Amino acid sequence: MQQVPYGSVDRDKPLIRVPFTRFAVITVCLPLLGLITCIVLSMLNHYNAATYTHCQVANYLPSISAAISLTPERYIWRFSIGLHSAPRFLMAAAYLSFYRGRFTKRLTEQLLSVLTFLLALSENVGLLLLTYVSSTETYNVHKSGFIIFIGSSLFHMLCTCRLWSVIAKYSLSAEEMMSYRHKFRLFLFNGCFCLLAFYFFRRHNTYCEAGIYTLFAFCEYLVVLSNMAFHMTAYRDFGGKEVIVATPPEGKHF
């Protein structure tokens, strides 16, 4: 039998080859399915504990923090976010490379793309922090993680929309125009419901009115879902790309 030499063509074939569209769907579906599962389980199995408020007024929906702090919900959420976080870091790096290629001669946009990358990392770190430190364990740390996540998310969306407005201005691609419009609408939607959630949260803590915390929880759901939808626009941005694990060409080892 003839032996295949070590440097053969077979050795250079990709070990893993995944379409970026599938990669984006898996990345977004992990937290989406985890969130839905946690909310449904908390309402079915721990309704009173999940909807309890400090002033003991009527509440009909669990906040996300309450839903992911119970057992076994916390483990489901941690599992889904743990799997979700690594692809999110990779996606942030992919966008940075994409922006550098598009703005090779525009210093302002290059600097903004670096800031957008750092905000994406900060958003993911904030999500990990609020996930692995629940509100029932160390509330102040969980609260800090939530603030980092929301703040980084909003500024990341804002910077991304600014970059894509420049891309759309000089692009002839209908896909890129559509991607920018979707991003901008989702940013406005997310920002509006962030403000509404903050308003209902402050009103609940100030006046302890029945049902107000339910409105806060509902707005919180929409904030998180629109955040996921915003990241899902990578499906359109990298439609023809692939995630590949392969042997680098000779002379290009790093």
Side-chain angles (χ1 to χ4, degrees):
M1 180 182 293
Q2 184 180 3
Q3 291 185 346
V4 179
Y6 181 67
S8 67
V9 176
D10 288 340
R11 172 181 173 273
D12 296 331
K13 287 183 178 179
L15 299 175
I16 299 174
R17 194 168 192 162
V18 181
F20 206 99
T21 50
R22 187 180 303 169
F23 179 79
V25 169
I26 293 171
T27 301
V28 172
C29 281
L30 282 168
L32 175 61
L33 295 177
L35 178 64
I36 293 172
T37 302
C38 289
I39 292 173
V40 170
L41 284 179
S42 66
M43 294 187 71
L44 292 177
N45 299 333
H46 315 100
Y47 183 79
N48 290 334
T51 57
Y52 176 82
T53 64
H54 73 282
C55 49
Q56 301 182 24
V57 294
N59 175 38
Y60 309 103
L61 287 175
S63 67
I64 293 176
S65 294
I68 66 174
S69 65
L70 301 165
T71 303
E73 292 89 331
R74 72 174 67 180
Y75 303 119
I76 295 170
W77 181 246
R78 288 173 182 177
F79 178 77
S80 62
I81 294 301
L83 291 177
H84 158 85
S85 60
R88 278 284 299 277
F89 285 122
L90 181 59
M91 197 172 291
Y95 268 114
L96 178 62
S97 179
F98 171 78
Y99 293 141
R100 282 182 167 178
R102 295 300 294 262
F103 302 118
T104 53
K105 297 181 180 180
R106 299 177 69 98
L107 179 60
T108 301
E109 280 73 21
Q110 284 204 18
L111 293 175
L112 187 59
S113 68
V114 173
L115 176 60
T116 305
F117 171 70
L118 294 176
L119 287 168
L121 298 185
S122 176
E123 178 185 346
N124 206 22
V125 169
L127 178 59
L128 288 169
L129 187 60
L130 71 88
T131 293
Y132 286 95
V133 182
S134 69
S135 59
T136 57
E137 294 171 340
T138 310
Y139 177 75
N140 287 334
V141 175
H142 178 85
K143 179 181 176 182
S144 298
F146 182 80
I147 292 172
I148 292 171
F149 169 70
I150 291 295
S152 299
S153 171
L154 283 170
F155 281 106
H156 173 261
M157 289 183 182
L158 177 62
C159 292
T160 299
C161 287
R162 169 56 188 164
L163 290 169
W164 277 87
S165 69
V166 177
I167 292 173
K169 183 178 179 181
Y170 298 101
S171 176
L172 299 176
S173 168
E175 285 288 312
E176 290 181 340
M177 293 290 293
M178 185 66 70
S179 179
Y180 167 63
R181 285 196 287 267
H182 285 171
K183 285 177 171 63
F184 186 68
R185 290 166 184 166
L186 287 166
F187 167 63
L188 292 180
F189 183 92
N190 186 274
C192 289
F193 278 95
C194 273
L195 291 175
L196 280 173
F198 178 75
Y199 167 74
F200 288 127
F201 184 78
R202 290 295 300 270
R203 180 166 172 172
H204 167 75
N205 285 335
T206 303
Y207 301 109
C208 282
E209 299 169 286
I212 294 299
Y213 202 75
T214 302
L215 294 176
F216 160 74
F218 181 72
C219 290
E220 190 183 32
Y221 298 167
L222 294 180
V223 167
V224 172
L225 290 174
S226 59
N227 174 276
M228 294 178 188
F230 189 92
H231 289 292
M232 188 62 191
T233 59
Y235 183 98
R236 187 180 296 274
D237 301 336
F238 300 111
K241 301 294 190 297
E242 293 179 325
V243 179
I244 298 176
V245 177
T247 304
E250 292 295 331
K252 292 191 176 181
H253 294 267
F254 297 98

